[in-house]
Amino acid sequence: MNLRPLLLSLTVLLLVTGTARAAGPKEVAVADRSLWPTPIRSPKDFDQASRAENLVFAKVLGELEARSGTEAFPAELGVKQVHTESLRRWLGEVKGTVAANLRAARASCGAKTEVGCAGAEPSAENVVQLGTEFFALAGPQYQDWKAMADRFYGLYVKELMRLAALFPAPTSEILTLGPGEFTGSEWPDRQFLLTFDDGPTPAGGGTDKLMALLTARKASGVFFVLGDALKNRLDKTGPDALKVLYQGQCVGSHGQEHKSHQKLATWKDSLENSRGLVGSLGIEGNNKKVLFRPPYGQRTEELTKFLQGQGASVVLWNIDSQDWNASVAPGPTTDRVISLMLLWRRGVVLFHDVHNKVHQAVPRLLDFADTAGLQWKNCKTL
């Protein structure tokens, strides 16, 4: 990988606009699952589609990596400068992950002629070549899906590479700072967790609607609440009503308000105040060691070590639904999450209970997991 033209940018990482947390990629990756030629109704069907997703991702990853040494590369990602060491680290990790995913998905191969089953044993060193070969040889029934997937991963890889190029200024979910943080990418195969940020909504709003759905489906998730929003609702309804509302679920902290905790001078106050509010609910399974999700995924090593010393964790994610993004419709939002579940095969799914798209996405994801043989983690086991 030739990154030498970018060595001048080993230090400060800035967006073109200079406001790292406010700006995002110009275009977000959206998928269309209707173009996959066969229904996913079993674990074997899941593996087949997973092989295809990983192989196209690997092919696109290699194409963008090949351009990483050019002068135009930072502008292509929408950044001013690139942190080369973070990018190298991410590339190494993600290639290893894709290789492991392919090996797991090939376990159900009955014959080399099945989609994604041919070729050498997947490794970090050969996944790009395997992806390139698959894309060239996949049969005509995959042509429409391939065109869509090529575009989807073209944008999605840029989303991820952009975060890696910026890390650690600002930090994000793309890489961990050390022990005490998890993204879900380290979990066993086929295990996922639902998470919901930014609530609670006022009584009768999106949070209540989502709770009713999860209760009816016997599903659980972690609700990362903002201290200010929680206090407003506590003042109006009291802790007993909220304890009933969150019954069977887990509640974590998203800070006192939605501000980056990477440069927030009062981050300890934010953690303590929001943790105290969550603790006041008296929810079974919650205690003073509340799980914390930093707004925007931005935090410091000091913050992570502080929580680790208390037995708590920073909970990041590896599957971003983009449900907050007004440019993404509900259907493509759900299709994006399903495609990323097929790609990563495990992980933490990020939603927001304050946005309406979650109410269409979650039922479909629960149905998908049932038919594909996936497991939702019980939040209380965390």
Side-chain angles (χ1 to χ4, degrees):
M1 172 178 169
N2 180 19
L3 291 173
R4 279 178 284 183
L6 302 175
L7 288 177
L8 293 176
S9 56
L10 283 171
T11 54
V12 179
L13 313 175
L14 299 170
L15 289 174
V16 173
T17 62
T19 53
R21 72 175 180 84
K26 292 180 179 179
E27 191 174 5
V28 173
V30 294
D32 182 354
R33 294 306 313 167
S34 70
L35 297 177
W36 180 246
T38 58
I40 299 175
R41 295 174 178 165
S42 69
K44 184 176 177 64
D45 293 338
F46 176 87
D47 281 343
Q48 177 177 275
S50 177
R51 293 192 296 268
E53 299 290 332
N54 274 273
L55 287 164
V56 176
F57 175 89
K59 173 252 186 191
V60 173
L61 180 71
E63 292 171 346
L64 195 56
E65 180 185 6
R67 300 199 294 272
S68 64
T70 66
E71 292 184 2
F73 183 62
E76 185 173 4
L77 295 185
V79 302
K80 188 175 182 179
Q81 296 175 316
V82 173
H83 194 297
T84 55
E85 185 54 40
S86 293
L87 185 56
R88 283 194 188 99
R89 175 187 164 193
W90 177 77
L91 282 166
E93 289 182 5
V94 78
K95 287 180 182 179
T97 296
V98 170
N101 290 347
L102 284 170
R103 290 194 296 270
R106 281 188 177 187
S108 62
C109 287
K112 291 289 186 180
T113 54
E114 293 181 22
V115 63
C117 294
E121 176 77 0
S123 68
E125 292 71 32
N126 70 9
V127 289
V128 170
Q129 179 62 32
L130 290 175
T132 302
E133 292 170 355
F134 167 78
F135 197 84
L137 298 174
Q141 69 271 35
Y142 297 104
Q143 293 309 305
D144 291 343
W145 169 81
K146 279 201 315 180
M148 180 279 299
D150 194 42
R151 174 172 170 75
F152 174 78
Y153 286 115
L155 292 170
Y156 181 61
V157 172
K158 283 184 182 179
E159 287 181 37
L160 301 183
M161 271 198 176
R162 175 181 168 277
L163 293 175
L166 289 167
F167 195 91
T171 51
S172 65
E173 76 278 9
I174 196 70
L175 293 167
T176 56
L177 292 174
E181 298 188 341
F182 67 86
T183 66
S185 60
E186 61 280 358
W187 288 346
D189 192 39
R190 299 175 184 268
Q191 292 191 12
F192 296 89
L193 174 71
L194 290 170
T195 65
F196 310 94
D197 288 5
D198 294 359
T201 60
T207 302
D208 303 65
K209 182 179 178 181
L210 187 57
M211 290 298 179
L213 167 66
L214 293 174
T215 299
R217 296 293 298 265
K218 295 182 172 58
S220 74
V222 183
F223 288 77
F224 290 100
V225 299
L226 292 169
D228 285 350
L230 182 58
K231 186 177 186 307
N232 288 339
R233 182 140 181 187
L234 279 167
D235 289 344
K236 293 180 180 179
T237 64
D240 290 342
L242 277 171
K243 182 177 180 179
V244 172
L245 176 69
Y246 285 113
Q247 186 174 8
Q249 306 300 320
C250 299
V251 182
S253 167
H254 201 33
Q256 192 64 24
E257 53 184 324
H258 207 282
K259 289 184 176 179
S260 169
H261 281 50
Q262 188 167 3
K263 295 183 178 179
L264 184 65
T266 57
W267 63 266
K268 281 189 180 180
D269 291 336
S270 175
L271 291 180
E272 294 293 343
N273 292 341
S274 58
R275 181 165 54 189
L277 287 164
V278 170
S280 72
L281 302 178
I283 297 172
E284 182 184 356
N286 274 7
N287 54 42
K288 66 180 182 179
K289 297 175 181 178
V290 174
L291 299 172
F292 176 65
R293 168 165 288 164
Y296 311 104
Q298 293 174 13
R299 72 282 181 204
T300 62
E301 287 188 40
E302 183 183 11
L303 182 153
T304 297
K305 289 177 180 178
F306 174 79
L307 288 174
Q308 187 182 14
Q310 299 182 334
S313 299
V314 171
V315 183
L316 301 169
W317 61 91
N318 65 335
I319 298 176
D320 184 352
S321 69
Q322 290 281 327
D323 62 334
W324 57 271
N325 196 317
S327 68
V328 185
T333 296
T334 310
D335 283 358
R336 172 186 165 102
V337 174
I338 290 175
S339 291
L340 297 183
M341 291 173 74
L342 288 162
L343 173 66
W344 298 125
R345 297 183 63 87
R346 61 184 62 75
V348 178
V349 185
L350 169 64
F351 282 111
H352 300 78
D353 51 318
V354 298
H355 295 297
N356 289 332
K357 279 175 275 190
V358 70
H359 306 300
Q360 297 185 46
V362 170
R364 201 172 145 206
L365 292 181
L366 295 175
D367 291 342
F368 173 72
D370 286 345
T371 59
L374 309 180
Q375 177 184 351
W376 294 108
K377 275 187 172 289
N378 184 329
C379 68
K380 296 186 185 301
T381 65
L382 299 176

